[in-house]
Amino acid sequence: MRKIVTIITLLIMSLSTTTAASVTGGIPLRSDLFWSEEELSHFDFSAPVSENERNFYENTHIYLVTASPSEPVYVYFGHAGIVVETPESDAVMFDYGTFRFDESFYMNFIFGRLYYSVIPSYADSRYDSFISEDRTVYKLELMLSPEEKKTVLSFLSYNTLPENDTYLYHYYEDNCATRPRDIYNAATGGNFRTWAESQETGKSFRAWSTPYMHKSLFFAFVLNYLQGPRVDRPVSLYDACFLPDVLISAVSRYEGFEPEILHETRTREATPESYSLTGRSIIISAVAAFFILLTGAKHKALRIIGDISSALIWLFMGILSSVLLFMMVATNHNVTYGNWNVMIISPVVLVLSFLHFASIGRKEKRKSIGRVSRPMLITASVLLVLKGCLLDMMIQDNLAYYIFALSAYASEYYVSVRSVYRSVPLKRPEYVLGR
């Protein structure tokens, strides 16, 4: 028992070390990145326009345009852009969600250096692209003065210069929707932010984003596992505008009129208001526990199926937890920092995978699996108790992973104990028979 307590203590201490490494670590970033709020502060949105310019800007229209979610996974959350129509040119859409799949993209992505760009393109072609994918498209005109329109255009022109068009993408804090939000907020003199920050949502970044993963339980399970407590604090409506749907809804409320619908989907499901990963994790946990329990079946064929399935389950979870540990200590993915999931389901589960592969169809190896799963079961149980006692400290919304871990570890330990018990010869069978 002392060994188990020591192991748990060391694991808990190691998390604080990992968290510290995450916060102070990171990979050096490019020095020429474009930080919108900083650059926007250098532009005067109240600068007067000449009489010759006034007519031009009065007939210039600036719109916020959004497209509903689509596939693949990086389009699950929708898209937003700014469209500018002037009397002298075709409508142009400014997209802040563009990236290039070059030879450096994947390495930069792994280390959290998400270099995105703003690219202007013809708005009609972008509309056609959204409509061809049957995505709902909203268009909302921003009620700006000629002075504000002139400065917005100046800023967009400045922002699209090759030396200014790159920024560091962040899932929640700096994406294709927050950039138009920042521009609109600057044009309103900060009034939009003041209003939106006064609107409490009672929801966290995780609660806002998870319903957009409803199309794939697999991605919902994986992406939420990788995200730590940083995304579980309640946010205001202004912060929630990282989602294009929320952004256009908030701006519409602020402006006081509804957006125009350019196209309404006929085939795509609406994003649900809420999505319970915890409830769905019960199904995942039940399936995993079923295959683990098969390893204790009487028939060898069933044991083989159970061992192979269990080995693959633990292999996947071991790789996933190893990826999380790497992201926490060696990358700029700050949403992973201080993630308790790395202790609930740690890279040590790779040992369980190896043991299942080594004992396919054989009962003799169950004792080793029990020795590994028992401390894991105790660790997860202790962490769950601590979570219940220290809700303010352990705010991470990760009950789904406790359910999975506890059911899987308990199943492993149960099969191990049962197999060992069966393997012990009975010297006094009369006691068993009740004689």
Side-chain angles (χ1 to χ4, degrees), residues 352 355-356 359 365-373 412:
L352 290 175
L355 290 173
H356 275 293
S359 62
K365 300 291 184 180
R366 296 291 177 261
K367 190 173 181 180
S368 298
I369 294 177
R371 286 173 177 171
V372 176
S373 60
E412 291 282 19

Side-chain angles (χ1 to χ4, degrees), residues 87-343:
E88 299 176 353
S89 62
D90 294 327
V92 175
M93 185 170 184
F94 294 83
D95 282 309
Y96 283 88
T98 58
F99 56 91
R100 300 176 180 86
F101 284 112
D102 55 24
E103 63 279 0
S104 63
F105 174 82
Y106 295 102
M107 187 60 65
N108 282 328
F109 180 84
I110 289 171
F111 285 100
R113 302 186 296 249
L114 308 180
Y115 299 132
Y116 278 48
S117 301
V118 53
I119 295 180
S121 58
Y122 287 113
D124 287 342
S125 66
R126 296 293 286 143
Y127 297 153
D128 290 342
S129 176
F130 296 145
I131 293 171
S132 68
E133 297 170 359
D134 194 30
R135 301 167 67 179
T136 299
V137 182
Y138 290 106
K139 179 180 178 182
L140 179 68
E141 183 167 7
L142 305 179
M143 296 292 99
L144 305 176
S145 67
E147 291 79 8
E148 292 163 349
K149 292 177 183 178
K150 178 183 178 180
T151 309
V152 168
L153 265 63
S154 297
F155 178 79
L156 291 171
S157 298
Y158 172 75
N159 201 172
T160 52
L161 293 174
E163 62 270 24
N164 298 327
D165 68 350
T166 302
Y167 71 98
L168 185 66
Y169 179 92
H170 189 280
Y171 322 100
Y172 302 108
E173 298 170 5
D174 207 341
N175 63 17
C176 70
T178 62
R179 290 266 160 165
R181 178 202 65 186
D182 293 344
I183 293 172
Y184 178 64
N185 178 62
T188 63
N191 292 328
F192 174 70
R193 180 172 194 159
T194 301
W195 170 80
E197 286 186 338
S198 69
Q199 311 292 312
E200 295 299 330
T201 66
K203 296 168 68 174
S204 63
F205 281 129
R206 192 192 302 272
W208 276 110
S209 61
T210 301
Y212 285 81
M213 307 176 201
H214 73 281
K215 300 175 184 177
S216 172
L217 178 56
F218 172 79
F219 278 114
F221 188 84
V222 169
L223 294 179
N224 276 284
Y225 174 82
L226 295 174
Q227 298 182 86
R230 185 184 180 95
V231 303
D232 288 310
R233 299 281 184 187
V235 298
S236 69
L237 182 61
Y238 189 77
D239 293 320
C241 287
F242 77 92
L243 291 168
D245 288 345
V246 178
L247 174 62
I248 198 161
S249 174
V251 174
S252 174
R253 286 170 56 192
Y254 183 78
E255 292 280 7
F257 58 92
E258 295 295 315
E260 177 186 357
I261 301 176
L262 297 184
H263 177 77
E264 191 162 13
T265 182
R266 298 181 180 85
T267 61
R268 297 185 182 277
E269 300 176 59
T271 302
E273 289 293 325
S274 61
Y275 182 89
S276 175
L277 184 60
T278 300
R280 287 165 176 80
S281 70
I282 296 175
I283 301 173
I284 298 175
S285 303
V287 172
F290 170 76
F291 285 114
I292 292 170
L293 292 173
L294 274 185
T295 62
K298 293 182 179 180
H299 299 287
K300 186 175 181 179
L302 293 177
R303 292 200 303 273
I304 291 174
I305 293 173
D307 274 318
I308 293 175
S309 301
S310 300
L312 293 175
I313 289 170
W314 291 125
L315 178 63
F316 173 77
M317 295 309 301
I319 293 173
L320 183 61
S321 58
S322 299
V323 169
L324 171 57
L325 184 61
F326 170 77
M327 294 175 75
M328 289 174 66
V329 301
T331 77
N332 294 309
H333 293 283
N334 63 2
V335 297
T336 67
Y337 295 172
N339 194 330
W340 290 94
N341 292 336
V342 79
M343 292 184 66

Side-chain angles (χ1 to χ4, degrees), residues 343-364:
M343 292 184 66
I344 302 168
I345 307 172
S346 74
V348 180
V349 300
L350 287 170
V351 177
L352 290 175
S353 177
F354 170 77
L355 290 173
H356 275 293
F357 277 125
S359 62
I360 291 178
R362 299 167 60 187
K363 294 182 178 180
E364 295 80 10

Side-chain angles (χ1 to χ4, degrees), residues 16-26 328-330 337:
S16 61
T17 305
T18 301
T19 304
S22 299
V23 172
T24 58
M328 289 174 66
V329 301
Y337 295 172

